[in-house]
Amino acid sequence: MATRVTVWNEFRHERESDAVADVYPNGIHEVIADALADDFEVETATLDEPDHGLTETVLEETDVLTWWGHAAHDEVDDEVVDRVHDRVLDGMGLLVLHSGHYSKIFKRLMGTTCSLKWREAAETERLWVVEPSHPIADGIDEYVEVPEAEMYGERFDIPQPDTLVFNSWFEGGEVFRSGCCYTRGSGRIFYFRPGHETYPVYHQPEIRRVLRNAVAWLDSGSDSVPAFGNADPIESIDTSDDRSVH
Amino acid sequence: MATRVTVWNEFRHERESDAVADVYPNGIHEVIADALADDFEVETATLDEPDHGLTETVLEETDVLTWWGHAAHDEVDDEVVDRVHDRVLDGMGLLVLHSGHYSKIFKRLMGTTCSLKWREAAETERLWVVEPSHPIADGIDEYVEVPEAEMYGERFDIPQPDTLVFNSWFEGGEVFRSGCCYTRGSGRIFYFRPGHETYPVYHQPEIRRVLRNAVAWLDSGSDSVPAFGNADPIESIDTSDDRSVH
Amino acid sequence: MATRVTVWNEFRHERESDAVADVYPNGIHEVIADALADDFEVETATLDEPDHGLTETVLEETDVLTWWGHAAHDEVDDEVVDRVHDRVLDGMGLLVLHSGHYSKIFKRLMGTTCSLKWREAAETERLWVVEPSHPIADGIDEYVEVPEAEMYGERFDIPQPDTLVFNSWFEGGEVFRSGCCYTRGSGRIFYFRPGHETYPVYHQPEIRRVLRNAVAWLDSGSDSVPAFGNADPIESIDTSDDRSVH
Amino acid sequence: MATRVTVWNEFRHERESDAVADVYPNGIHEVIADALADDFEVETATLDEPDHGLTETVLEETDVLTWWGHAAHDEVDDEVVDRVHDRVLDGMGLLVLHSGHYSKIFKRLMGTTCSLKWREAAETERLWVVEPSHPIADGIDEYVEVPEAEMYGERFDIPQPDTLVFNSWFEGGEVFRSGCCYTRGSGRIFYFRPGHETYPVYHQPEIRRVLRNAVAWLDSGSDSVPAFGNADPIESIDTSDDRSVH
């Protein structure tokens, strides 16, 4: 069965700023969806839809959710964040993009501030592949060069990634862990740094290839379901002790 | 300077249950504090104190906080949880004990449900040392045997630990990752499984040794402070691009 | 293209011991090959063939190599070990089984002694799934019970696994990290504990399912090839400094 | 008891090249030893001494060994490599410096090729602290700038570090994981990239601070000793099964 992707976008900048609309006239989500459409079943959802477009039903039918947000992180309803959080822990993949590092859902999953350094100077970024055998790097050369990028620099306040796939160099002198894999609950998470609203990063073929690789990886886990709660012993043991305050 | 420890305890069971008061007449916190007192500067704090005993000042003056809670996790004020969370990310160590796996602060830091299997049958637990070179295992034999333990079993829904120090065997047939190290922000976290309210686990010398080792490790990080936010370039680059929606 | 698997076996016990021949009359390799045959292209190779059946050509045409050895680790030619090592670092997957923990190739890849505790008492082993979302756990219940197993116990002297998938309980009181994922070079490695020569472990359906899952995971990396060696600068920098002892 | 450090150096370039002797007239080892002398008990050893200065006795009395080699890796006797390897697995710390990435001992411990990209152009390196809470980063600012460095670039073919402390930026456009922590056996290993023979890197105060921090961390493990081999059951189980080919 094809992987079902929901591409979520804040979709504010594109409607409010000419500089952004020039690059993403129909919204960043449409450009990302287009990058994924040949390989996956893709839907989109945006902040200003009811429930931000992320109803229980939508999430149930989503294998991988991609997340782009920036200026309106605080407007994302906590109930929707809870819902997305539950679905990730239950097995849905989550692709967090660029300024999504500061989204409620990413901070919730990481448990840290997810703070970083930043600078908007349309400078060169070079994403070096540090783990070439990882499926997210498949088909990618030694590095991907983004000619105009917003800088994100270390210290990036995240838990150490389970796997670091990309490591970025910036013209202004910084480095950044720009492709980070995590497992949380039964779900997989990939943070991928590129993608500023005023630069045409999501039109770049290598970046689009990484997006497709990431979605495929995010949906390649197991369907096994863990059990929790009070459990009878498997071995024959004495269970007569009755000291308990439960 | 001596490590300053605050031993936090829910301190309800001990006042409400004879079975618990028999084992911990002055509260679990007093027994833990006693285990630490020779090596560290120790204070205690409990749920029913104002601010749960965890004011800004107390936390500022705490290098390592130990946490034991069980039945009243929900009564811990969210503002205090925020405060503890901030302090951990800022460098305070956190020792989460036994049923503290379900505390707000541990779930906040882990980003997962922290669910597990459990059973109260006063059964044997054997904590095997899987990483003998870790300072938390210093002075510990191949294993620590707890003659009467509540069982916690896998799947334990936590992020994969940075280091797994102890791995538990239970008489009834289960296993559990029972000593788990994490770094979050600038703070270190150690989850240590043993310590049920109706069994005298914190009176056991080997367990007390692990508590001391853990506190020492939790306070052995660096004092370096990361910087975040907008950053000027270090290299000389062209910063004239003015496309921005900030 | 189907994954090409070479199932390697020492194949001595089966020819020398009735107890083993009763369980694996045509060799352990035939039983493992049979478990994989429906899903993959499978060949076998054994110690007493020329080059141990692992010529350059065979390895070139192998995507995943499975390794079972026990009493004759020392008879494996160092040149063949070098060859297998090179192929793993170059991208071939390696499934190391049971007593293969002590093979030259596994110790070479791990860099440690790979020592452990052991006992032959046909006791119960229960492999608990600790990372249910991992593809190697797909279709597996909360645990796999092996009714008659050789015990392997911690401390298992291996580098901390990239991912720990299975964690074993033994009737005699020990635990063991029994399903361990690694990446080395461009290759993936999975150590899977079950499989003693005198017990019919590889006939057990759940174990055979794990073998299939493992082979699929071992072949699911990327085909990207890293570059090494002297490198021209990408940025325009002054390269006139001529201090060098090369 | 003070940590006992043995500073090992190939000590060839300094005697054969004026460019190197200008920077390290008495050998790189003397400059490193000087950086450590105030805090630790320091001895030195070099390639051309008998046993390379690394006899059984010397290693027994060494808590942390630092390793600098470059052109003569192949001249290090395999027996001495075995000896150092055994001591590391047995608990001795190992600080591998710069071109030591290609030493026999580091490749043995890592299990990989340890290959990388390189360039000698006396270019700027900036080592960013990515894990500021790690003790090796103590007292270090956000980054250490090395004004004249040999470039090492990714892909660096190493196992993913247990902790990545430093991440380097190079003027010519590359990045590199330049401070990598590992545990192997009971020993700790830190790979630290800076330190070229023709540039005065080890005279730089921040680099010397990292060397001291690293030595302290490398000696801060536990003294617990694991047991291996045949083991009697701890629980009472039936051990009458006699199927065995041992």
Short mmCIF file of all heavy atoms in Angstrom, two decimals, chain C residues 30-62:
data_model
loop_
_atom_site.label_atom_id
_atom_site.label_comp_id
_atom_site.label_asym_id
_atom_site.label_seq_id
_atom_site.Cartn_x
_atom_site.Cartn_y
_atom_site.Cartn_z
N GLU C 30 21.53 -25.19 5.81
CA GLU C 30 20.38 -25.56 4.97
C GLU C 30 19.07 -25.12 5.62
O GLU C 30 18.13 -24.72 4.93
CB GLU C 30 20.37 -27.08 4.73
CG GLU C 30 21.51 -27.56 3.83
CD GLU C 30 21.45 -26.96 2.41
OE1 GLU C 30 20.35 -26.57 1.97
OE2 GLU C 30 22.51 -26.87 1.76
N VAL C 31 19.03 -25.17 6.92
CA VAL C 31 17.81 -24.78 7.63
C VAL C 31 17.62 -23.26 7.58
O VAL C 31 16.52 -22.74 7.41
CB VAL C 31 17.83 -25.31 9.08
CG1 VAL C 31 16.63 -24.81 9.86
CG2 VAL C 31 17.85 -26.84 9.06
N ILE C 32 18.73 -22.55 7.71
CA ILE C 32 18.66 -21.08 7.59
C ILE C 32 18.31 -20.68 6.15
O ILE C 32 17.44 -19.83 5.91
CB ILE C 32 19.99 -20.44 8.03
CG1 ILE C 32 20.20 -20.67 9.53
CG2 ILE C 32 20.01 -18.95 7.69
CD1 ILE C 32 21.55 -20.20 10.06
N ALA C 33 18.96 -21.33 5.19
CA ALA C 33 18.68 -21.03 3.78
C ALA C 33 17.20 -21.27 3.47
O ALA C 33 16.57 -20.47 2.76
CB ALA C 33 19.57 -21.88 2.87
N ASP C 34 16.67 -22.32 4.04
CA ASP C 34 15.27 -22.64 3.81
C ASP C 34 14.34 -21.55 4.38
O ASP C 34 13.32 -21.22 3.78
CB ASP C 34 14.95 -23.99 4.46
CG ASP C 34 13.51 -24.40 4.25
OD1 ASP C 34 13.14 -24.70 3.10
OD2 ASP C 34 12.74 -24.37 5.24
N ALA C 35 14.74 -20.99 5.51
CA ALA C 35 13.94 -19.91 6.11
C ALA C 35 13.92 -18.67 5.23
O ALA C 35 12.98 -17.86 5.29
CB ALA C 35 14.47 -19.56 7.50
N LEU C 36 14.95 -18.51 4.40
CA LEU C 36 15.10 -17.28 3.61
C LEU C 36 14.70 -17.45 2.15
O LEU C 36 14.52 -16.46 1.42
CB LEU C 36 16.56 -16.82 3.68
CG LEU C 36 17.18 -16.60 5.06
CD1 LEU C 36 18.67 -16.29 4.95
CD2 LEU C 36 16.46 -15.45 5.79
N ALA C 37 14.55 -18.70 1.73
CA ALA C 37 14.47 -18.99 0.29
C ALA C 37 13.26 -18.36 -0.41
O ALA C 37 13.34 -18.01 -1.59
CB ALA C 37 14.48 -20.50 0.07
N ASP C 38 12.16 -18.22 0.29
CA ASP C 38 10.98 -17.67 -0.38
C ASP C 38 11.10 -16.19 -0.68
O ASP C 38 10.46 -15.67 -1.59
CB ASP C 38 9.73 -17.90 0.48
CG ASP C 38 9.26 -19.34 0.43
OD1 ASP C 38 9.80 -20.11 -0.40
OD2 ASP C 38 8.38 -19.70 1.23
N ASP C 39 11.92 -15.49 0.09
CA ASP C 39 11.98 -14.04 -0.04
C ASP C 39 13.24 -13.51 -0.72
O ASP C 39 13.25 -12.37 -1.16
CB ASP C 39 11.86 -13.39 1.35
CG ASP C 39 10.50 -13.65 1.97
OD1 ASP C 39 9.51 -13.47 1.26
OD2 ASP C 39 10.45 -14.05 3.14
N PHE C 40 14.27 -14.33 -0.75
CA PHE C 40 15.56 -13.83 -1.23
C PHE C 40 16.21 -14.88 -2.14
O PHE C 40 15.82 -16.04 -2.13
CB PHE C 40 16.49 -13.53 -0.04
CG PHE C 40 15.84 -12.72 1.05
CD1 PHE C 40 15.44 -13.32 2.25
CD2 PHE C 40 15.59 -11.36 0.87
CE1 PHE C 40 14.84 -12.58 3.25
CE2 PHE C 40 14.99 -10.62 1.87
CZ PHE C 40 14.60 -11.22 3.06
N GLU C 41 17.22 -14.44 -2.87
CA GLU C 41 18.05 -15.37 -3.64
C GLU C 41 19.13 -15.89 -2.72
O GLU C 41 19.99 -15.12 -2.29
CB GLU C 41 18.72 -14.65 -4.81
CG GLU C 41 17.83 -14.41 -5.99
CD GLU C 41 18.57 -13.72 -7.12
OE1 GLU C 41 19.82 -13.80 -7.15
OE2 GLU C 41 17.90 -13.06 -7.93
N VAL C 42 19.13 -17.17 -2.44
CA VAL C 42 19.98 -17.69 -1.38
C VAL C 42 21.00 -18.71 -1.91
O VAL C 42 20.65 -19.61 -2.66
CB VAL C 42 19.13 -18.36 -0.27
CG1 VAL C 42 20.02 -18.82 0.88
CG2 VAL C 42 18.08 -17.39 0.24
N GLU C 43 22.25 -18.53 -1.52
CA GLU C 43 23.30 -19.52 -1.74
C GLU C 43 23.88 -19.88 -0.37
O GLU C 43 23.65 -19.17 0.61
CB GLU C 43 24.42 -18.94 -2.62
CG GLU C 43 23.97 -18.43 -3.97
CD GLU C 43 23.65 -19.57 -4.95
OE1 GLU C 43 24.15 -20.70 -4.73
OE2 GLU C 43 22.90 -19.32 -5.92
N THR C 44 24.63 -20.96 -0.33
CA THR C 44 25.30 -21.32 0.93
C THR C 44 26.81 -21.46 0.69
O THR C 44 27.25 -21.62 -0.45
CB THR C 44 24.77 -22.65 1.50
OG1 THR C 44 25.09 -23.70 0.60
CG2 THR C 44 23.26 -22.59 1.73
N ALA C 45 27.55 -21.38 1.77
CA ALA C 45 29.00 -21.56 1.71
C ALA C 45 29.44 -22.09 3.06
O ALA C 45 28.82 -21.76 4.09
CB ALA C 45 29.69 -20.23 1.40
N THR C 46 30.50 -22.91 3.06
CA THR C 46 30.94 -23.52 4.32
C THR C 46 32.46 -23.50 4.43
O THR C 46 33.16 -23.33 3.45
CB THR C 46 30.42 -24.98 4.44
OG1 THR C 46 30.89 -25.71 3.31
CG2 THR C 46 28.90 -25.02 4.49
N LEU C 47 32.89 -23.69 5.66
CA LEU C 47 34.31 -23.56 6.00
C LEU C 47 35.23 -24.42 5.14
O LEU C 47 36.29 -23.96 4.70
CB LEU C 47 34.50 -23.94 7.48
CG LEU C 47 35.92 -23.88 8.04
CD1 LEU C 47 36.44 -22.45 8.08
CD2 LEU C 47 35.96 -24.49 9.44
N ASP C 48 34.83 -25.67 4.89
CA ASP C 48 35.75 -26.58 4.25
C ASP C 48 35.77 -26.50 2.73
O ASP C 48 36.50 -27.26 2.08
CB ASP C 48 35.49 -28.01 4.75
CG ASP C 48 35.88 -28.15 6.22
OD1 ASP C 48 36.88 -27.51 6.62
OD2 ASP C 48 35.19 -28.86 6.97
N GLU C 49 34.99 -25.60 2.17
CA GLU C 49 35.11 -25.34 0.73
C GLU C 49 36.38 -24.50 0.51
O GLU C 49 36.87 -23.84 1.42
CB GLU C 49 33.89 -24.55 0.24
CG GLU C 49 32.57 -25.29 0.39
CD GLU C 49 31.38 -24.42 0.00
OE1 GLU C 49 31.50 -23.61 -0.96
OE2 GLU C 49 30.33 -24.51 0.66
N PRO C 50 36.89 -24.52 -0.75
CA PRO C 50 38.03 -23.64 -1.04
C PRO C 50 37.64 -22.19 -0.74
O PRO C 50 36.51 -21.78 -1.05
CB PRO C 50 38.25 -23.85 -2.56
CG PRO C 50 37.58 -25.14 -2.90
CD PRO C 50 36.46 -25.32 -1.91
N ASP C 51 38.58 -21.46 -0.16
CA ASP C 51 38.30 -20.08 0.25
C ASP C 51 37.11 -19.99 1.20
O ASP C 51 36.47 -18.94 1.31
CB ASP C 51 37.99 -19.19 -0.97
CG ASP C 51 39.24 -18.62 -1.61
OD1 ASP C 51 40.05 -18.00 -0.89
OD2 ASP C 51 39.41 -18.78 -2.83
N HIS C 52 36.81 -21.07 1.86
CA HIS C 52 35.61 -21.17 2.72
C HIS C 52 34.33 -20.81 1.94
O HIS C 52 33.33 -20.41 2.53
CB HIS C 52 35.71 -20.26 3.95
CG HIS C 52 37.00 -20.32 4.68
ND1 HIS C 52 37.70 -21.49 4.87
CD2 HIS C 52 37.76 -19.35 5.26
CE1 HIS C 52 38.82 -21.24 5.55
NE2 HIS C 52 38.88 -19.94 5.78
N GLY C 53 34.42 -20.94 0.62
CA GLY C 53 33.25 -20.62 -0.21
C GLY C 53 33.03 -19.13 -0.38
O GLY C 53 32.01 -18.70 -0.93
N LEU C 54 33.99 -18.34 0.08
CA LEU C 54 33.81 -16.87 0.08
C LEU C 54 34.88 -16.21 -0.79
O LEU C 54 35.72 -15.46 -0.30
CB LEU C 54 33.84 -16.35 1.52
CG LEU C 54 32.73 -16.90 2.42
CD1 LEU C 54 32.94 -16.44 3.85
CD2 LEU C 54 31.35 -16.48 1.92
N THR C 55 34.84 -16.51 -2.07
CA THR C 55 35.76 -15.88 -3.02
C THR C 55 35.36 -14.43 -3.22
O THR C 55 34.26 -14.00 -2.85
CB THR C 55 35.70 -16.59 -4.38
OG1 THR C 55 34.35 -16.47 -4.85
CG2 THR C 55 36.06 -18.06 -4.24
N GLU C 56 36.25 -13.68 -3.84
CA GLU C 56 35.94 -12.29 -4.22
C GLU C 56 34.62 -12.23 -4.99
O GLU C 56 33.77 -11.39 -4.71
CB GLU C 56 37.06 -11.73 -5.12
CG GLU C 56 38.35 -11.37 -4.42
CD GLU C 56 38.28 -10.05 -3.65
OE1 GLU C 56 37.20 -9.41 -3.65
OE2 GLU C 56 39.28 -9.68 -3.02
N THR C 57 34.48 -13.14 -5.95
CA THR C 57 33.28 -13.13 -6.80
C THR C 57 32.02 -13.39 -5.98
O THR C 57 31.01 -12.70 -6.13
CB THR C 57 33.41 -14.20 -7.90
OG1 THR C 57 34.67 -14.03 -8.53
CG2 THR C 57 32.27 -14.08 -8.90
N VAL C 58 32.09 -14.38 -5.11
CA VAL C 58 30.91 -14.68 -4.27
C VAL C 58 30.54 -13.46 -3.44
O VAL C 58 29.36 -13.07 -3.37
CB VAL C 58 31.20 -15.90 -3.36
CG1 VAL C 58 30.16 -16.00 -2.25
CG2 VAL C 58 31.22 -17.18 -4.19
N LEU C 59 31.52 -12.84 -2.83
CA LEU C 59 31.21 -11.69 -1.96
C LEU C 59 30.70 -10.50 -2.77
O LEU C 59 29.79 -9.80 -2.33
CB LEU C 59 32.45 -11.31 -1.13
CG LEU C 59 32.82 -12.33 -0.05
CD1 LEU C 59 34.14 -11.95 0.61
CD2 LEU C 59 31.72 -12.45 0.99
N GLU C 60 31.26 -10.30 -3.94
CA GLU C 60 30.78 -9.21 -4.81
C GLU C 60 29.29 -9.38 -5.12
O GLU C 60 28.56 -8.41 -5.29
CB GLU C 60 31.53 -9.22 -6.14
CG GLU C 60 32.98 -8.83 -6.06
CD GLU C 60 33.19 -7.36 -6.34
OE1 GLU C 60 32.66 -6.88 -7.35
OE2 GLU C 60 33.86 -6.69 -5.51
N GLU C 61 28.89 -10.64 -5.22
CA GLU C 61 27.50 -10.92 -5.62
C GLU C 61 26.62 -11.20 -4.42
O GLU C 61 25.53 -11.75 -4.55
CB GLU C 61 27.49 -12.09 -6.60
CG GLU C 61 28.21 -11.73 -7.90
CD GLU C 61 28.37 -12.91 -8.87
OE1 GLU C 61 28.07 -14.05 -8.45
OE2 GLU C 61 28.80 -12.67 -10.01
N THR C 62 27.12 -10.84 -3.25
CA THR C 62 26.35 -11.06 -2.01
C THR C 62 25.91 -9.72 -1.43
O THR C 62 26.74 -8.84 -1.19
CB THR C 62 27.22 -11.81 -0.97
OG1 THR C 62 27.56 -13.08 -1.49
CG2 THR C 62 26.49 -11.96 0.35
#
